[in-house]
Tab-separated table of all heavy atoms in Angstrom:
chain	number	residue	atom	x	y	z
A	1	VAL	N	0.196	-13.764	-14.365
A	1	VAL	CA	0.039	-14.752	-15.435
A	1	VAL	C	1.349	-15.451	-15.767
A	1	VAL	O	2.462	-14.900	-15.490
A	1	VAL	CB	-0.558	-14.114	-16.709
A	1	VAL	CG1	-1.923	-13.591	-16.487
A	1	VAL	CG2	0.396	-13.085	-17.281
A	2	LYS	N	1.283	-16.658	-16.180
A	2	LYS	CA	2.516	-17.371	-16.564
A	2	LYS	C	2.532	-17.690	-18.020
A	2	LYS	O	1.527	-18.038	-18.590
A	2	LYS	CB	2.492	-18.745	-15.730
A	2	LYS	CG	3.651	-19.561	-15.805
A	2	LYS	CD	3.589	-20.717	-14.887
A	2	LYS	CE	4.821	-21.555	-14.933
A	2	LYS	NZ	4.881	-22.708	-14.015
A	3	TYR	N	3.708	-17.449	-18.538
A	3	TYR	CA	3.926	-17.819	-19.924
A	3	TYR	C	5.221	-18.752	-19.995
A	3	TYR	O	6.272	-18.229	-19.629
A	3	TYR	CB	4.167	-16.604	-20.798
A	3	TYR	CG	4.485	-16.947	-22.267
A	3	TYR	CD1	3.542	-17.383	-23.123
A	3	TYR	CD2	5.780	-16.730	-22.791
A	3	TYR	CE1	3.781	-17.694	-24.413
A	3	TYR	CE2	6.066	-17.058	-24.078
A	3	TYR	CZ	5.045	-17.545	-24.925
A	3	TYR	OH	5.352	-17.813	-26.230
A	4	GLY	N	5.065	-20.003	-20.259
A	4	GLY	CA	6.145	-20.931	-20.126
A	4	GLY	C	6.569	-21.044	-18.701
A	4	GLY	O	5.729	-21.221	-17.792
A	5	ASN	N	7.907	-20.810	-18.413
A	5	ASN	CA	8.338	-20.848	-17.041
A	5	ASN	C	8.455	-19.428	-16.435
A	5	ASN	O	8.890	-19.231	-15.342
A	5	ASN	CB	9.757	-21.408	-16.975
A	5	ASN	CG	9.722	-22.895	-17.285
A	5	ASN	OD1	8.715	-23.539	-17.064
A	5	ASN	ND2	10.807	-23.448	-17.898
A	6	LEU	N	7.979	-18.311	-17.143
A	6	LEU	CA	8.135	-17.001	-16.702
A	6	LEU	C	6.776	-16.578	-16.174
A	6	LEU	O	5.722	-16.920	-16.646
A	6	LEU	CB	8.534	-16.109	-17.805
A	6	LEU	CG	9.811	-16.509	-18.529
A	6	LEU	CD1	10.070	-15.658	-19.765
A	6	LEU	CD2	10.916	-16.348	-17.558
A	7	THR	N	6.860	-15.638	-15.131
A	7	THR	CA	5.591	-15.066	-14.584
A	7	THR	C	5.649	-13.565	-14.792
A	7	THR	O	6.693	-12.899	-14.744
A	7	THR	CB	5.354	-15.356	-13.130
A	7	THR	OG1	6.506	-14.971	-12.387
A	7	THR	CG2	5.123	-16.861	-12.921
A	8	PHE	N	4.452	-12.934	-15.011
A	8	PHE	CA	4.423	-11.487	-15.229
A	8	PHE	C	3.197	-10.878	-14.404
A	8	PHE	O	2.112	-11.553	-14.430
A	8	PHE	CB	4.114	-11.167	-16.678
A	8	PHE	CG	5.196	-11.654	-17.602
A	8	PHE	CD1	5.064	-12.858	-18.320
A	8	PHE	CD2	6.375	-10.889	-17.797
A	8	PHE	CE1	6.085	-13.369	-19.174
A	8	PHE	CE2	7.353	-11.348	-18.704
A	8	PHE	CZ	7.187	-12.555	-19.283
A	9	PRO	N	3.346	-9.815	-13.777
A	9	PRO	CA	2.207	-9.137	-13.158
A	9	PRO	C	1.413	-8.564	-14.357
A	9	PRO	O	1.951	-8.145	-15.273
A	9	PRO	CB	2.818	-8.042	-12.363
A	9	PRO	CG	4.215	-7.870	-12.837
A	9	PRO	CD	4.564	-9.155	-13.500
A	10	ALA	N	0.072	-8.722	-14.238
A	10	ALA	CA	-0.786	-8.263	-15.302
A	10	ALA	C	-2.071	-7.632	-14.764
A	10	ALA	O	-2.412	-7.773	-13.612
A	10	ALA	CB	-1.146	-9.425	-16.198
A	11	GLU	N	-2.709	-6.915	-15.668
A	11	GLU	CA	-4.074	-6.365	-15.331
A	11	GLU	C	-5.064	-7.005	-16.357
A	11	GLU	O	-4.725	-7.320	-17.534
A	11	GLU	CB	-4.142	-4.891	-15.509
A	11	GLU	CG	-3.257	-4.237	-14.413
A	11	GLU	CD	-3.398	-2.677	-14.478
A	11	GLU	OE1	-4.464	-2.192	-14.902
A	11	GLU	OE2	-2.415	-2.067	-14.152
A	12	TYR	N	-6.258	-7.424	-15.907
A	12	TYR	CA	-7.150	-8.136	-16.656
A	12	TYR	C	-8.563	-7.565	-16.590
A	12	TYR	O	-9.005	-7.002	-15.503
A	12	TYR	CB	-7.287	-9.620	-16.094
A	12	TYR	CG	-8.346	-10.455	-16.803
A	12	TYR	CD1	-8.110	-10.992	-17.968
A	12	TYR	CD2	-9.536	-10.657	-16.071
A	12	TYR	CE1	-9.125	-11.815	-18.548
A	12	TYR	CE2	-10.525	-11.495	-16.618
A	12	TYR	CZ	-10.307	-12.034	-17.917
A	12	TYR	OH	-11.274	-12.845	-18.496
A	13	SER	N	-9.298	-7.503	-17.666
A	13	SER	CA	-10.625	-7.039	-17.743
A	13	SER	C	-11.462	-7.815	-18.678
A	13	SER	O	-10.997	-8.433	-19.691
A	13	SER	CB	-10.700	-5.477	-18.012
A	13	SER	OG	-10.485	-5.320	-19.423
A	14	GLU	N	-12.773	-7.882	-18.395
A	14	GLU	CA	-13.770	-8.598	-19.206
A	14	GLU	C	-14.847	-7.554	-19.559
A	14	GLU	O	-15.243	-6.780	-18.667
A	14	GLU	CB	-14.365	-9.750	-18.539
A	14	GLU	CG	-13.497	-10.947	-18.281
A	14	GLU	CD	-14.208	-12.002	-17.524
A	14	GLU	OE1	-15.350	-11.821	-17.072
A	14	GLU	OE2	-13.583	-13.109	-17.412
A	15	THR	N	-15.311	-7.593	-20.779
A	15	THR	CA	-16.388	-6.632	-21.262
A	15	THR	C	-17.387	-7.516	-21.995
A	15	THR	O	-16.978	-8.203	-22.954
A	15	THR	CB	-15.869	-5.570	-22.084
A	15	THR	OG1	-14.860	-4.850	-21.393
A	15	THR	CG2	-17.033	-4.602	-22.490
A	16	GLN	N	-18.690	-7.516	-21.576
A	16	GLN	CA	-19.675	-8.230	-22.307
A	16	GLN	C	-19.994	-7.451	-23.631
A	16	GLN	O	-20.171	-6.202	-23.636
A	16	GLN	CB	-20.976	-8.249	-21.473
A	16	GLN	CG	-22.084	-9.123	-22.005
A	16	GLN	CD	-21.868	-10.581	-21.755
A	16	GLN	OE1	-21.255	-10.980	-20.712
A	16	GLN	NE2	-22.200	-11.397	-22.681
A	17	THR	N	-19.855	-8.215	-24.754
A	17	THR	CA	-20.104	-7.588	-26.039
A	17	THR	C	-21.475	-7.705	-26.524
A	17	THR	O	-21.980	-6.861	-27.223
A	17	THR	CB	-19.090	-8.077	-27.121
A	17	THR	OG1	-19.305	-9.563	-27.165
A	17	THR	CG2	-17.694	-7.778	-26.728
A	18	ASP	N	-22.139	-8.834	-26.251
A	18	ASP	CA	-23.462	-9.081	-26.597
A	18	ASP	C	-24.020	-10.256	-25.744
A	18	ASP	O	-23.339	-10.612	-24.769
A	18	ASP	CB	-23.746	-9.396	-28.076
A	18	ASP	CG	-22.911	-10.549	-28.633
A	18	ASP	OD1	-22.686	-11.522	-27.876
A	18	ASP	OD2	-22.442	-10.472	-29.843
A	19	SER	N	-25.055	-10.865	-26.099
A	19	SER	CA	-25.655	-11.915	-25.278
A	19	SER	C	-24.737	-13.122	-25.168
A	19	SER	O	-24.848	-13.923	-24.220
A	19	SER	CB	-27.037	-12.323	-25.720
A	19	SER	OG	-26.937	-12.885	-27.003
A	20	GLN	N	-23.808	-13.411	-26.163
A	20	GLN	CA	-22.934	-14.519	-26.116
A	20	GLN	C	-21.489	-14.266	-26.143
A	20	GLN	O	-20.681	-15.160	-26.111
A	20	GLN	CB	-23.264	-15.394	-27.318
A	20	GLN	CG	-24.746	-15.933	-27.233
A	20	GLN	CD	-25.147	-16.867	-28.364
A	20	GLN	OE1	-24.260	-17.067	-29.295
A	20	GLN	NE2	-26.208	-17.506	-28.281
A	21	GLY	N	-21.148	-12.979	-26.311
A	21	GLY	CA	-19.717	-12.643	-26.444
A	21	GLY	C	-19.063	-11.904	-25.254
A	21	GLY	O	-19.733	-11.293	-24.483
A	22	MET	N	-17.700	-12.141	-25.106
A	22	MET	CA	-17.056	-11.562	-23.995
A	22	MET	C	-15.693	-11.115	-24.578
A	22	MET	O	-14.889	-11.960	-25.103
A	22	MET	CB	-16.873	-12.554	-22.875
A	22	MET	CG	-16.204	-12.011	-21.675
A	22	MET	SD	-17.208	-10.893	-20.565
A	22	MET	CE	-18.356	-12.160	-19.935
A	23	ASP	N	-15.298	-9.842	-24.405
A	23	ASP	CA	-13.981	-9.351	-24.779
A	23	ASP	C	-13.152	-9.503	-23.588
A	23	ASP	O	-13.533	-8.980	-22.435
A	23	ASP	CB	-14.033	-7.894	-25.273
A	23	ASP	CG	-14.456	-7.817	-26.681
A	23	ASP	OD1	-14.430	-8.787	-27.452
A	23	ASP	OD2	-14.774	-6.593	-27.080
A	24	LYS	N	-12.037	-10.096	-23.700
A	24	LYS	CA	-11.049	-10.256	-22.551
A	24	LYS	C	-9.779	-9.572	-22.894
A	24	LYS	O	-9.215	-9.800	-24.045
A	24	LYS	CB	-10.874	-11.733	-22.231
A	24	LYS	CG	-12.038	-12.486	-21.745
A	24	LYS	CD	-11.741	-13.944	-21.553
A	24	LYS	CE	-13.058	-14.659	-21.232
A	24	LYS	NZ	-12.736	-16.109	-20.943
A	25	THR	N	-9.309	-8.715	-21.969
A	25	THR	CA	-8.015	-7.976	-22.280
A	25	THR	C	-7.059	-8.200	-21.124
A	25	THR	O	-7.453	-8.225	-19.961
A	25	THR	CB	-8.329	-6.400	-22.294
A	25	THR	OG1	-9.297	-6.258	-23.397
A	25	THR	CG2	-7.093	-5.664	-22.641
A	26	LEU	N	-5.871	-8.470	-21.478
A	26	LEU	CA	-4.687	-8.649	-20.556
A	26	LEU	C	-3.690	-7.600	-20.866
A	26	LEU	O	-3.227	-7.554	-22.006
A	26	LEU	CB	-4.134	-10.056	-20.714
A	26	LEU	CG	-3.312	-10.715	-19.743
A	26	LEU	CD1	-4.057	-10.857	-18.393
A	26	LEU	CD2	-2.885	-12.075	-20.218
A	27	ILE	N	-3.229	-6.899	-19.870
A	27	ILE	CA	-2.174	-5.889	-20.089
A	27	ILE	C	-0.965	-6.259	-19.158
A	27	ILE	O	-1.110	-6.513	-17.997
A	27	ILE	CB	-2.731	-4.492	-19.671
A	27	ILE	CG1	-3.841	-4.118	-20.578
A	27	ILE	CG2	-1.615	-3.493	-19.720
A	27	ILE	CD1	-4.564	-2.792	-20.162
A	28	ILE	N	0.171	-6.285	-19.838
A	28	ILE	CA	1.488	-6.590	-19.186
A	28	ILE	C	2.386	-5.417	-19.342
A	28	ILE	O	2.522	-4.926	-20.472
A	28	ILE	CB	2.097	-7.963	-19.790
A	28	ILE	CG1	1.137	-9.136	-19.439
A	28	ILE	CG2	3.423	-8.124	-19.186
A	28	ILE	CD1	1.638	-10.412	-20.051
A	29	ALA	N	2.928	-5.029	-18.292
A	29	ALA	CA	3.877	-3.850	-18.302
A	29	ALA	C	5.118	-4.186	-19.029
A	29	ALA	O	5.578	-5.358	-19.018
A	29	ALA	CB	4.174	-3.423	-16.898
A	30	LYS	N	5.721	-3.223	-19.731
A	30	LYS	CA	6.948	-3.415	-20.409
A	30	LYS	C	8.123	-3.501	-19.377
A	30	LYS	O	8.243	-2.573	-18.631
A	30	LYS	CB	7.233	-2.332	-21.444
A	30	LYS	CG	6.440	-2.475	-22.715
A	30	LYS	CD	6.948	-1.531	-23.789
A	30	LYS	CE	6.328	-1.901	-25.105
A	30	LYS	NZ	6.731	-0.876	-26.101
A	31	THR	N	8.784	-4.546	-19.371
A	31	THR	CA	10.041	-4.719	-18.601
A	31	THR	C	11.036	-5.303	-19.533
A	31	THR	O	10.781	-5.642	-20.697
A	31	THR	CB	9.796	-5.684	-17.434
A	31	THR	OG1	9.512	-7.049	-17.961
A	31	THR	CG2	8.651	-5.286	-16.437
A	32	GLU	N	12.216	-5.480	-19.042
A	32	GLU	CA	13.314	-5.996	-19.928
A	32	GLU	C	12.884	-7.384	-20.327
A	32	GLU	O	13.082	-7.769	-21.507
A	32	GLU	CB	14.622	-6.092	-19.079
A	32	GLU	CG	15.876	-6.279	-19.963
A	32	GLU	CD	17.109	-6.097	-19.137
A	32	GLU	OE1	17.306	-5.090	-18.519
A	32	GLU	OE2	17.831	-7.095	-19.158
A	33	GLN	N	12.331	-8.186	-19.446
A	33	GLN	CA	11.931	-9.590	-19.822
A	33	GLN	C	10.798	-9.648	-20.734
A	33	GLN	O	10.788	-10.350	-21.729
A	33	GLN	CB	11.572	-10.310	-18.512
A	33	GLN	CG	11.370	-11.855	-18.632
A	33	GLN	CD	11.156	-12.438	-17.304
A	33	GLN	OE1	10.328	-11.942	-16.500
A	33	GLN	NE2	11.881	-13.449	-16.953
A	34	SER	N	9.682	-8.827	-20.448
A	34	SER	CA	8.541	-8.822	-21.399
A	34	SER	C	8.808	-8.322	-22.742
A	34	SER	O	8.399	-8.820	-23.819
A	34	SER	CB	7.327	-8.179	-20.740
A	34	SER	OG	7.570	-6.742	-20.610
A	35	THR	N	9.672	-7.264	-22.783
A	35	THR	CA	10.057	-6.664	-24.047
A	35	THR	C	10.891	-7.665	-24.925
A	35	THR	O	10.585	-7.740	-26.099
A	35	THR	CB	10.888	-5.409	-23.905
A	35	THR	OG1	10.046	-4.475	-23.110
A	35	THR	CG2	11.299	-4.721	-25.172
A	36	ALA	N	11.786	-8.386	-24.252
A	36	ALA	CA	12.534	-9.383	-25.052
A	36	ALA	C	11.586	-10.478	-25.660
A	36	ALA	O	11.873	-10.893	-26.746
A	36	ALA	CB	13.520	-10.016	-24.152
A	37	LEU	N	10.529	-10.826	-24.931
A	37	LEU	CA	9.634	-11.855	-25.489
A	37	LEU	C	8.602	-11.286	-26.459
A	37	LEU	O	8.351	-11.959	-27.484
A	37	LEU	CB	8.846	-12.530	-24.350
A	37	LEU	CG	9.563	-13.553	-23.486
A	37	LEU	CD1	8.791	-13.868	-22.307
A	37	LEU	CD2	9.860	-14.767	-24.315
A	38	PHE	N	7.940	-10.174	-26.167
A	38	PHE	CA	6.885	-9.781	-26.944
A	38	PHE	C	7.023	-8.656	-27.960
A	38	PHE	O	6.144	-8.410	-28.819
A	38	PHE	CB	5.731	-9.349	-25.956
A	38	PHE	CG	5.364	-10.349	-25.001
A	38	PHE	CD1	5.410	-10.098	-23.610
A	38	PHE	CD2	5.053	-11.694	-25.315
A	38	PHE	CE1	5.096	-11.026	-22.613
A	38	PHE	CE2	4.807	-12.640	-24.349
A	38	PHE	CZ	4.768	-12.334	-22.996
A	39	SER	N	8.094	-7.874	-27.839
A	39	SER	CA	8.283	-6.725	-28.721
A	39	SER	C	8.378	-7.166	-30.215
A	39	SER	O	9.026	-8.045	-30.608
A	39	SER	CB	9.606	-5.965	-28.308
A	39	SER	OG	9.714	-4.772	-29.085
A	40	GLY	N	7.545	-6.430	-31.012
A	40	GLY	CA	7.496	-6.790	-32.388
A	40	GLY	C	6.666	-7.928	-32.849
A	40	GLY	O	6.674	-8.397	-33.948
A	41	ALA	N	5.964	-8.623	-31.873
A	41	ALA	CA	5.223	-9.841	-32.137
A	41	ALA	C	3.694	-9.505	-32.295
A	41	ALA	O	2.852	-10.338	-31.922
A	41	ALA	CB	5.408	-10.851	-31.024
A	42	LEU	N	3.321	-8.324	-32.894
A	42	LEU	CA	1.850	-7.956	-33.062
A	42	LEU	C	1.159	-9.086	-33.849
A	42	LEU	O	1.695	-9.602	-34.787
A	42	LEU	CB	1.721	-6.690	-33.765
A	42	LEU	CG	2.027	-5.473	-32.875
A	42	LEU	CD1	1.893	-4.181	-33.747
A	42	LEU	CD2	1.075	-5.327	-31.720
């Protein structure tokens, strides 16, 4: 996946929640680069 000019390896999953809904989850490993961007940004 790409965020701005940066790229990250990720894992992605989709789960059907009901007849019209879909939960999508993206998991990015903690690296020095991802931690600098995302840490504390809940």
Side-chain angles (χ1 to χ4, degrees):
V1 295
K2 188 173 182 178
Y3 178 72
N5 293 329
L6 304 172
T7 57
F8 300 96
E11 293 184 31
Y12 173 79
S13 70
E14 293 179 349
T15 305
Q16 188 77 34
T17 57
D18 57 35
S19 62
Q20 296 184 353
M22 183 78 69
D23 281 344
K24 298 177 183 181
T25 303
L26 196 61
I27 297 174
I28 295 177
K30 281 190 173 178
T31 62
E32 195 173 303
Q33 188 176 52
S34 66
T35 299
L37 280 171
F38 306 127
S39 187
L42 284 176

